[in-house]
Amino acid sequence: MKIVKNYYDLADARRKEAERRYRNTKKTREEEQREQREAEVLIRAVEELEQNTCFVPDRKKEAEFEQLYQRALGAAELLNINVTIDTDKKEYSTIEFRMKQLFIVDCVSREIRAVIGMLFMKAEEIWIDREENGICITLYFSTNKRIMKKNKNNIDNLIFL
C-alpha cells in the first residue's frame, strides 16, 4: 500500500492564490493608512516589550542544555555531520547541524536515535532549511528566564514570565 497526501502542495497553492487575490485588490487610501497605523502600533509594542524585558540565567536550564549539547556533539561525530553550539544569545541557545544529507539507517545505534529524538523533543523551536549544498537543522532552547520589569525605572520590581 502507498498513501500520498500532498498537504504542502495544497497549502502552497492556497497561499499563492491568496497572494494573487491580495495583489489584485485595490486598497483605498484609508485602508492603507489604517494598515500603516496598525503596523506602527505593533512595532512600538514589540520595541516596548524588548525594552522592558530582562533575561536572568537559569542554572537548571543551562545544565540541561549542556547535557543535551554534549550528547549532540557525540551524535554529530558518529553521524559525520557538522555541528555548531551557540550560547551567546540571551533569548535562546542553539544546536545547529549542517550536512549534505542525513540517513539514519539500521546500523545507527538506538542510543544515537534516542539522542536525535530527545533533541527534537526538548527543543522549543526547530527550523529545517535547505541550503545550496545541503540542509541545516537548527534547534532552539531557552536557557534563561525572561522577566518583565514592573516599573521601567526600577529593575528591582521584576515579573517572571
Side-chain angles (χ1 to χ4, degrees), residues 1-91:
M1 174 171 59
K2 182 175 184 178
I3 299 172
V4 177
K5 301 285 187 179
N6 295 324
Y7 296 121
Y8 174 82
D9 294 344
L10 293 170
D12 192 46
R14 286 191 302 265
R15 181 189 57 78
K16 287 177 181 174
E17 175 61 22
E19 283 179 2
R20 186 190 61 74
R21 281 194 313 265
Y22 181 76
R23 281 192 309 267
N24 291 336
T25 58
K26 293 276 187 183
K27 293 182 185 174
T28 66
R29 184 174 174 87
E30 293 79 24
E31 288 174 324
E32 288 177 358
Q33 289 174 344
R34 180 181 45 81
E35 286 181 3
Q36 180 66 30
R37 284 191 305 272
E38 289 172 356
E40 289 170 359
V41 166
L42 181 60
I43 290 169
R44 279 194 301 275
V46 169
E47 288 172 347
E48 186 175 323
L49 177 65
E50 288 175 356
Q51 290 173 353
N52 293 317
T53 299
C54 295
F55 291 89
V56 175
D58 184 326
R59 300 296 175 222
K60 183 178 175 186
K61 286 182 177 182
E62 287 174 348
E64 184 176 301
F65 180 72
E66 185 173 348
Q67 288 181 345
L68 287 171
Y69 84 67
Q70 291 295 338
R71 291 179 178 157
L73 290 170
E77 181 178 9
L78 292 171
L79 294 171
N80 297 314
I81 56 180
N82 297 335
V83 63
T84 302
I85 311 298
D86 185 357
T87 60
D88 292 338
K89 294 182 177 61
K90 60 185 175 185
E91 296 91 353

